[in-house]
Amino acid sequence: MDERAKSLLLQNRAALAKDIRSSYIMDHMISDGVISPQEEETVKNKATQLDRANQLIKLILGKDNHAFVSFYNALLHEGYKDLAALLKEVSSIDIFGTGKVSANGITSYVKTTLCEGGVPQRPVVFVSRKNLVKDIQDRFYQLMMESGWVVVYGMAGCGKSVLAAEALRDHSILKECFPGGVHWLSVGKQDKAGLLMKLQNLCTRLDQDCKYSQRPPLNVEEARDRLRHLIMHSYPRCLLILDDVWDSWVLKAFDIQCRVLVTSRDRSVIDTVSGMKLLVHVDSELEHQKGLEILSLYVDQKVEELPKEAHHIIQESKGSPLVVSLIGSLLREFPSRWAFYLKQLKNKQFKRIRKSSSYDYEALDEAMSMSVDRLKDNVKEYYNDFSVIEKDVKVPTQVLCILWDMESEDVEDMLQEFVNKSLLYCDRNGKSFLYYLHDLQLDFLTERNRNQLPALHAKLVSQYLKRYSHVLPTLDQEDCTYWYHYLAYHMAQANMQQELCALLFSFDWIKSKTRLFGPAHLIHEFVHYQNILDKQDMKAREDFQEFLSVNGHLLGQNSHINLVQLGLSEPNESAVYKHAVRHAREKLPQG
Ligand code: ADP
């Protein structure tokens, strides 16, 4: 649904719910075909008129513009002219003609669908690669009648993700091929626990009716079944986009006869999955002309007017759009420095040999080094803080507010400078902003700040501990998921062994984390950090790990289970029992 329509519905929800009689309204909406008799039943089953009206509005919020228009018309027909007037503002915008094209060639339907699906926006400076986009879109049309896989493959940084997102920025594709919407997942290099986390997040995102709100899937197999069920019943003919997949085993979790677009460095990742497979190869080198276009957009000059160095810069960048963008944004600031930046690019001070690929990324390292060195010292420090973020993780503003003790507006304003310089990327979804770096940029940053990494991790942890000294993060906070997933990792990287033990042996933490995400990730952390935990207290680690393995499924499944009670029923010599006693004593004075 159009963002503005949704916003108006939400703003006027109370007034609408107070007055409308849902049964009359629903008659119109059923005959318009925008709600089903089953959905009508869910509304009718509510006890009071107010509840029924609220349920109906909730239903409409999850639907498209047609449902909104139908609701608006129904209000008019049923004599609720005042209420319809509250929503009238939207009738003058592009709500009835969802195919109307906005200034940048994108309809509001496309905008809303991509935003809801978490598809990244175009980079600040963008050139279209029409042939490749068309290649991908042709494959999409092949998915119209049949489920299957489209794989876009090529070297890191060659523009696969940007192309995948661009191919979706098309009204007809979304309407005809993927009426169930599109859902983007940044996968990256994962182990099983990491994949489970990603799957849990995806399931939560898709489960808008909160059918499964009681508990997250406990393992990858269960997540796969849940995903299949959600897609079959709530999102038929949707597209999942799995960005930057490294390993073929990851795809097994998505081998559920749905439509999937995969981007990967390695075409063989789909060898083991079943169904139709369609491949698109992206050359590691951006066409020379496209490189020139990127530079021309940055410096605001026609391609033919660019100096000869521009051609050499593209050659030195090996046609990498990432490198060309970095140099472009430097040139925007200093338009006379063509020769200087070309000389720097040829400098080759970085001799990084990447194990993961035969391709060399020296040009990228040079360009990154130039861009980071140009930052003012105080701002550079903020940028260096990104060295501690794990690959393929998008960080919500709120985490950075805590890290830097800043208001979100100030964080967002400051980070815009990095975004403009192509040093950082930002996904905006409504009010929330998520920041991330390209893998190759993160490689550069961690390499450059290698010696400071433990201190940088420690800074993030101590800021967390300051902010959450008395309470734990809860799901309504946008930074909540981040901490439950990565706090232990940061502690381990910071060599904060005592803090890590205190965290993983804490009943409050175990209770919250298992309730929100199930026990699997926590058990994984006990295994992963075994060496560190054993140095502090081997018996406690063994006892807790055993305790979680035996009881974890209960904790994840049942929010009524009392963790401390469970701990107290462990044998007296168990570390879990001792911690439970201590915990119970500490809590006693608070009741
Ligand atoms: P990959 O997925 O292949 O690793 P991305 O699609 O993430 O690569 O692209 C890396 C970066 O290159 C982008 O963040 C952007 O800065 C730049 N880039 C890629 N494609 C384009 C494009 N068509 N126009 C402008 N810049 C691009």
Side-chain angles (χ1 to χ4, degrees):
M1 179 181 296
D2 182 281
E3 193 187 26
R4 287 161 292 183
K6 195 174 255 181
S7 155
L8 271 185
L9 263 182
L10 286 168
Q11 280 170 41
N12 296 301
R13 189 180 197 152
L16 289 162
K18 192 159 82 55
D19 284 351
I20 58 172
R21 283 185 161 258
S22 47
S23 57
Y24 298 128
I25 304 283
M26 284 195 295
D27 288 346
H28 290 277
M29 297 184 77
I30 286 183
S31 71
D32 283 350
V34 295
I35 62 171
S36 66
Q38 289 86 343
E39 286 170 327
E40 181 188 33
E41 212 48 40
T42 64
V43 175
K44 282 189 170 161
N45 285 342
K46 296 285 168 192
T48 66
Q49 188 159 305
L50 186 67
D51 288 349
R52 286 192 287 276
N54 268 319
Q55 175 69 16
L56 174 62
I57 295 168
K58 190 171 149 209
L59 261 180
I60 301 169
L61 281 168
K63 292 183 174 281
D64 62 8
N65 287 345
H66 291 116
F68 180 86
V69 174
S70 170
F71 179 58
Y72 173 81
N73 289 333
L75 288 176
L76 280 181
H77 276 107
E78 289 302 321
Y80 296 109
K81 290 208 173 55
D82 293 348
L83 292 179
L86 295 175
L87 307 180
K88 177 109 174 71
E89 191 189 314
V90 190
S91 60
S92 61
I93 60 177
D94 174 35
I95 191 84
F96 296 102
T98 49
K100 209 171 111 193
V101 176
S102 66
N104 55 2
I106 300 162
T107 62
S108 68
Y109 173 73
V110 172
K111 253 199 248 163
T112 314
T113 309
L114 298 195
C115 181
E116 284 180 351
V119 176
Q121 277 113 351
R122 282 176 176 163
V124 191
V125 162
F126 165 80
V127 295
S128 69
R129 300 166 83 178
K130 286 211 172 73
N131 293 342
L132 280 166
V133 168
K134 183 163 178 315
D135 281 352
I136 301 174
Q137 290 181 333
D138 287 346
R139 310 296 191 281
F140 285 162
Y141 280 110
Q142 288 180 257
L143 290 187
M144 236 166 104
M145 306 309 289
E146 205 182 323
S147 61
W149 307 79
V150 176
V151 181
V152 177
Y153 69 96
M155 289 293 185
C158 69
K160 299 180 294 294
S161 313
V162 171
L163 280 166
E166 197 52 26
L168 293 169
R169 217 164 268 124
D170 182 300
H171 191 84
S172 318
I173 293 278
L174 295 180
K175 278 273 175 207
E176 292 166 30
C177 305
F178 310 121
V182 297
H183 309 283
W184 188 282
L185 195 67
S186 305
V187 179
K189 203 165 168 49
Q190 291 300 338
D191 52 23
K192 250 191 156 184
L195 176 67
L196 178 59
M197 282 286 189
K198 299 257 173 196
L199 282 163
Q200 288 176 340
N201 290 345
L202 180 64
C203 288
T204 311
R205 233 165 78 190
L206 296 181
D207 186 16
Q208 287 187 346
D209 293 339
C210 302
K211 274 193 218 138
Y212 300 98
S213 63
Q214 286 312 306
R215 70 171 184 83
L218 296 177
N219 52 49
V220 172
E221 288 69 34
E222 192 187 341
R224 180 174 182 259
D225 286 341
R226 185 170 301 182
L227 197 59
R228 178 194 291 126
H229 194 266
L230 279 166
I231 288 181
M232 251 174 68
H233 294 285
S234 307
Y235 301 89
R237 298 186 61 208
C238 73
L239 177 75
L240 294 180
I241 305 106
L242 308 178
D243 189 30
D244 199 17
V245 174
W246 286 63
D247 304 294
S248 53
W249 63 265
V250 165
L251 294 185
K252 296 229 170 74
F254 301 91
D255 197 359
I256 48 175
Q257 301 206 346
C258 61
R259 291 157 174 83
V260 188
L261 168 64
V262 175
T263 77
S264 179
R265 296 159 204 213
D266 176 6
R267 60 178 282 175
S268 65
V269 285
I270 52 153
D271 284 356
T272 52
V273 296
S274 57
M276 179 167 67
K277 299 168 194 173
L278 307 160
L279 296 166
V280 177
H281 180 230
V282 182
D283 239 325
S284 56
E285 295 199 14
L286 192 72
E287 281 167 58
H288 194 81
Q289 186 61 24
K290 293 289 164 199
L292 291 176
E293 273 178 46
I294 294 184
L295 288 179
S296 93
L297 285 168
Y298 270 110
V299 297
D300 199 18
Q301 276 179 24
K302 291 201 180 105
V303 169
E304 14 342 318
E305 288 167 7
L306 293 176
K308 63 178 186 320
E309 284 90 351
H311 297 269
H312 298 304
I313 285 179
I314 311 253
Q315 276 157 14
E316 286 301 321
S317 312
K318 308 237 162 41
S320 153
L322 189 51
V323 179
V324 178
S325 301
L326 285 165
I327 304 288
S329 45
L330 285 168
L331 283 163
R332 181 162 52 190
E333 252 182 290
F334 301 100
S336 58
R337 291 194 178 173
W338 291 91
F340 174 71
Y341 289 134
L342 174 60
K343 200 172 100 212
Q344 295 263 309
L345 260 187
K346 286 184 170 167
N347 198 359
K348 302 270 176 350
Q349 58 165 310
F350 294 96
K351 296 271 175 259
R352 182 160 51 131
I353 298 162
R354 294 175 58 84
K355 291 192 195 93
S356 57
S357 141
S358 55
Y359 189 65
D360 78 89
Y361 289 95
E362 286 165 10
L364 176 78
D365 289 354
E366 288 296 343
M368 279 295 287
S369 157
M370 284 187 253
S371 304
V372 176
D373 288 345
R374 285 270 358 122
L375 296 172
K376 289 189 211 87
D377 279 347
N378 58 337
V379 179
K380 201 184 295 176
E381 265 182 49
Y382 289 110
Y383 191 65
N384 284 336
D385 283 339
F386 281 100
S387 319
V388 301
I389 303 302
E390 271 214 275
K391 283 187 179 171
D392 300 293
V393 172
K394 298 186 176 179
V395 190
T397 311
Q398 204 48 41
V399 171
L400 301 166
C401 291
I402 290 171
L403 173 61
W404 296 325
D405 253 336
M406 276 163 74
E407 296 292 327
S408 57
E409 288 78 4
D410 295 333
V411 168
E412 285 159 7
D413 286 351
M414 183 185 68
L415 294 186
Q416 192 55 39
E417 187 181 334
F418 300 148
V419 173
N420 291 341
K421 290 184 161 63
S422 302
L423 282 168
L424 184 70
Y425 301 94
C426 174
D427 271 0
R428 289 161 196 219
N429 199 344
K431 269 190 359 213
S432 61
F433 289 39
L434 295 167
Y435 294 96
Y436 59 100
L437 274 80
H438 193 280
D439 275 16
L440 299 175
Q441 293 177 309
L442 210 47
D443 276 347
F444 168 84
L445 215 52
T446 45
E447 197 56 46
R448 184 174 159 126
N449 296 321
R450 181 153 295 284
N451 296 333
Q452 287 144 267
L453 287 179
L456 293 177
H457 283 282
K459 179 165 125 193
L460 182 57
V461 174
S462 62
Q463 287 296 92
Y464 165 87
L465 292 173
K466 224 161 78 184
R467 166 68 179 76
Y468 291 107
S469 51
H470 299 301
V471 285
L472 290 178
T474 51
L475 261 193
D476 52 332
Q477 290 158 305
E478 67 169 17
D479 54 330
C480 165
T481 307
Y482 186 86
W483 299 118
Y484 283 107
H485 288 196
Y486 302 111
L487 182 60
Y489 164 76
H490 289 302
M491 286 177 168
Q493 296 297 319
N495 300 321
M496 297 171 87
Q497 305 180 351
Q498 280 180 0
E499 288 80 355
L500 183 65
C501 285
L503 183 79
L504 294 186
F505 300 154
S506 144
F507 271 81
D508 285 333
W509 182 261
I510 295 176
K511 189 163 68 184
S512 285
K513 180 156 173 164
T514 49
R515 188 168 293 172
L516 294 174
F517 305 104
H521 194 259
L522 198 55
I523 295 173
H524 164 81
E525 287 178 327
F526 273 93
V527 176
H528 198 74
Y529 302 123
Q530 173 174 352
N531 289 343
I532 303 178
L533 299 174
D534 283 357
K535 264 192 219 150
Q536 295 289 316
D537 190 341
M538 188 162 158
K539 173 147 174 39
R541 196 271 304 159
E542 283 172 356
D543 289 349
F544 269 93
Q545 195 174 323
E546 164 88 13
F547 173 71
L548 279 172
S549 307
V550 175
N551 298 300
H553 65 289
L554 291 175
L555 303 171
Q557 257 162 3
N558 197 335
S559 54
H560 308 301
I561 291 271
N562 184 328
L563 181 75
V564 183
Q565 285 294 340
L566 267 184
L568 289 172
S569 48
E570 290 289 290
N572 287 10
E573 67 281 6
S574 156
V576 177
Y577 173 81
K578 289 176 187 152
H579 275 71
V581 171
R582 203 175 316 142
H583 181 89
R585 283 209 187 108
E586 278 166 14
K587 296 279 156 174
L588 212 54
Q590 303 162 20

